[in-house]
Amino acid sequence: MPWNRRHLLTIEELSVAEIGQIHATAAAFKQILGQGGKSVPALRGQTIVNLFLEPSTRTRLAFEMAAKRLSADVIAFDAASSSTTKGETLRDTAENIRALGADMIILRHAAAGSPLYLSRLLDIPVINAGDGAHEHPTQGLLDTFTMQEHLGTLKGRKVVILGDILFSRVARSNIHALTKLGAAVTVVGPSTLVPQWFTALGVTVSHDLRGALAGAEVVMLLRIQHERQMAGMFPSLGEYTGMFGLNKARASWLDPQALIMHPGPINRGVEIDSELADGANSVILEQVANGIAVRMAVLYLCAGGNPEAIAATE
Ligand code: CP
């Protein structure tokens, strides 16, 4: 099936076949890198700009590594020393980056919808690296890629997402990816952070941690943001941890082989205890590592690359 998208803006708009195509291309790139290949010449001569206007460690570095493994020239935009601090608009910033010769922009921005906005202004691919509380599509793609490596098909798999669902772009992208791939998804946490209306996205909403975790094959923790407590979403971090933090006793309710996942950054001792984050069932660093191959696949496909050409080099 040919890839027909220039931009990656959301998982919501992707078909199951498109998700499968990204995963298959990522698997091919992972195999090439695993065989000792440091890079492929796929995007040689292209210039990719990492336009990150919010903090990031994993996503920014993984996109940078992915672009370099594809032999592209990659430029990291330094927001703190840029003219955005003088009030330059996103539109002007992006149009100037395009005028300087960029062939692709990867955007992280606090405003939901900003990648869609840029995609309508620019004649080059725009990749969403996280837009407000809306979506973080490459995170959802790398998370489901990691789950499939361990579990095979996700059809009927019991996946629990625990924590700050309401404000989480990671939760939204995973919900879209997992439900499209047939997983049985439960979102759980305090009712202030896990509103009932999430059922409209095809998931089960629960405020009963034990019931939700019972027999789950995957649990994905989300970072509890300190500012949520200031906004009165829960009384204190300690009380959140007491009610919903994942510790060894609560992890015993899971399937014994359950995968423990977290997109990072982790608040150790708040949403997850260190012994679980670093334990045998944790795949947190595998998620991070898989972020390179998955982002290589996204950059390659959106740049017009032929997935069959990559499969042929395996
Ligand atoms: N998972 C994630 O988006 O992490 P960063 O904010 O460090 O990119």
Side-chain angles (χ1 to χ4, degrees), residues 52 55-60 108 129 136 139 169-170 262-265 295:
F52 276 57
S56 169
T57 297
R58 284 147 288 272
T59 312
R60 187 173 62 79
R108 171 169 286 193
H136 190 348
Q139 184 71 48
R169 56 194 174 208
V170 173
H262 195 308
R295 291 179 173 112

Side-chain angles (χ1 to χ4, degrees), residues 1-4 15-19 21 306-308:
M1 190 189 91
W3 176 265
N4 290 318
S15 67
V16 174
E18 286 172 317
I19 293 171
Q21 198 165 8
N306 174 8
E308 286 172 17

